[in-house]
Amino acid sequence: MEIKQLLNKYGFYFKKAFGQNFLTDEALLDEIVTLSGVQKDDKVIEIGCGAGTLTRAIAKQAGSVTGYEIDLNLREILADSLEDFDNVNIVFKDVMKVSMAEIEKGLESGYTVVANLPYYITTPILMRFIEDAKYVKKLVLTVQKEVAERFSAKENTSDYGSITAAINLVGYAKTVKIIGREMFTPAPNVDSAVVVIDIDRDKFKGVDKLCYREVLKCAFGNRRKTLCNNIMQTFKLSRDVVETALTDLGIDKLARGETLSAESFVKLTDKLLSLGVVFAKSKKAGK
Ligand code: SAM
């Protein structure tokens, strides 16, 4: 049955509050899964199954899919839409309220996230997988185009920010496809894009991630200020100390946060730790 007919059959109405913009074009959905590189033996997590259109496309190509869906009104629709698949398990829960340990149970050998994310929690969902997940290998996310541009931005651009540097600490992000707004039901006001984030947790092994996060917050806290001024203010250090530290690292004294790569932020984090800077959230604070 056509997906629109299925939605009508169950009297479904779209909820803006849940970011419900569904994809229905089968060729496009298959292409997204192909872009994910998911193979027959792979385990996939989907966040926000909607009417199960992407879920079906994933189930055709992957070993198994665990989907999370917040909207209980989609229960019957999903049962109907996914009745031909025995490798799909749908969890009707707010994914933000499920612990990462529960999400990753049974997935210790690695998994891929494939999702057309609800726009209102795109960044919090991504940050959970970037910061808390242990076994995720890849994230293939359909998000608003502007958000995709921020995720995969290059240094020295206005799109480059703390989220980009946070992603770059553990992986590599690439925007691989633009999806016009007209492909969604209902159509949103903006276009979307598919971003592929390959995770490599060994990329900067040993860095204190909580301190790194605080350094990013500081560096991008006030984008109009120089990095030096932001560091002085946040960590209560003298200009002399900060300028010397930056010069030691080969960073211009007048540089702004958006000019630094993840590697430079890692070095800066280590430098600040070696200077005895007190990081509020880190276990290493005050060392
Ligand atoms: N995957 C479907 C597709 O591509 O057509 C639907 C995508 S739609 C953009 C986002 C879906 O996420 C909606 O079905 C919405 O109900 C669901 N959702 C929103 N917030 C959620 C949350 N906190 N936890 C789980 N699912 C959520």
Side-chain angles (χ1 to χ4, degrees):
M1 194 186 295
E2 268 274 324
I3 211 71
K4 283 168 195 164
Q5 278 174 279
L6 193 65
L7 295 174
N8 283 339
K9 177 175 161 190
Y10 292 100
F12 180 78
Y13 59 93
F14 290 92
K15 286 164 216 74
K16 221 177 169 178
F18 285 155
Q20 291 179 337
N21 301 96
F22 295 174
L23 285 171
T24 56
D25 186 286
E26 272 192 47
L28 173 63
L29 291 158
D30 287 343
E31 190 187 345
I32 292 172
V33 183
T34 300
L35 285 168
S36 78
V38 161
Q39 305 284 318
K40 217 164 54 44
D41 293 328
D42 290 335
K43 292 174 180 164
V44 174
I45 288 184
E46 185 194 0
I47 293 155
C49 299
T53 49
L54 181 57
T55 324
R56 276 200 308 229
I58 301 166
K60 279 193 284 176
Q61 294 192 43
S64 64
V65 192
T66 302
Y68 288 86
E69 176 51 60
I70 197 172
D71 188 353
L72 288 172
N73 289 334
L74 287 162
R75 200 183 269 274
E76 286 175 302
I77 293 170
L78 279 166
D80 207 327
S81 162
L82 299 168
E83 68 173 351
D84 295 337
F85 295 91
D86 58 7
N87 58 346
V88 178
N89 173 36
I90 306 292
V91 181
F92 284 93
K93 281 186 183 168
D94 175 347
V95 74
M96 295 306 283
K97 294 196 176 139
V98 184
S99 71
M100 193 45 77
E102 197 178 328
I103 291 175
E104 295 199 312
K105 215 165 159 184
L107 299 173
E108 294 78 5
S109 58
Y111 65 93
T112 302
V113 174
V114 181
N116 169 18
L117 286 179
Y119 71 90
Y120 74 103
I121 42 168
T122 299
T123 302
I125 289 177
L126 171 65
M127 289 315 287
R128 283 195 74 198
F129 282 91
I130 290 292
E131 291 179 344
D132 303 337
K134 285 193 193 148
Y135 307 112
V136 65
K137 292 190 295 191
K138 195 188 271 199
L139 296 134
V140 182
L141 308 176
T142 300
V143 299
Q144 294 187 6
K145 189 166 156 268
E146 294 74 46
V147 175
E149 279 158 3
R150 272 192 268 134
F151 288 177
S152 56
K154 296 272 172 271
E155 293 112 59
N156 280 310
T157 63
S158 59
D159 284 328
Y160 186 84
S162 63
I163 185 94
T164 332
I167 293 169
N168 290 349
L169 181 69
V170 295
Y172 305 85
K174 203 169 170 196
T175 297
V176 295
K177 185 174 176 66
I178 307 296
I179 303 179
R181 61 196 80 182
E182 71 285 353
M183 298 305 286
F184 294 84
T185 307
N189 296 324
V190 290
D191 295 330
S192 286
V194 182
V195 190
V196 174
I197 304 172
D198 283 300
I199 302 292
D200 173 8
R201 296 215 178 265
D202 293 336
K203 197 174 168 189
F204 294 110
K205 238 177 168 177
V207 62
D208 185 310
K209 292 196 171 121
L210 292 173
C211 295
Y212 181 88
R213 237 182 271 175
E214 278 190 55
V215 170
L216 295 187
K217 202 169 155 208
C218 153
F220 295 100
N222 189 336
R223 290 181 78 114
R224 277 184 303 190
K225 280 192 185 175
T226 62
L227 181 63
C228 180
N229 282 339
N230 275 330
I231 295 175
M232 283 166 54
Q233 196 186 341
T234 307
F235 300 113
K236 312 281 176 263
L237 293 171
S238 70
R239 178 170 301 281
D240 216 27
V241 168
V242 180
E243 284 189 353
T244 307
L246 292 177
T247 307
D248 283 355
L249 297 173
I251 300 169
D252 192 302
K253 285 187 288 194
L254 297 175
R256 286 170 209 281
E258 62 262 32
T259 62
L260 267 66
S261 64
E263 189 181 358
S264 296
F265 278 122
V266 166
K267 287 185 182 155
L268 181 57
T269 305
D270 288 343
K271 187 76 175 174
L272 291 172
L273 277 165
S274 76
L275 289 172
V277 161
V278 177
F279 286 90
K281 290 182 193 149
S282 170
K283 292 197 187 83
K284 285 191 187 164
K287 248 181 84 175

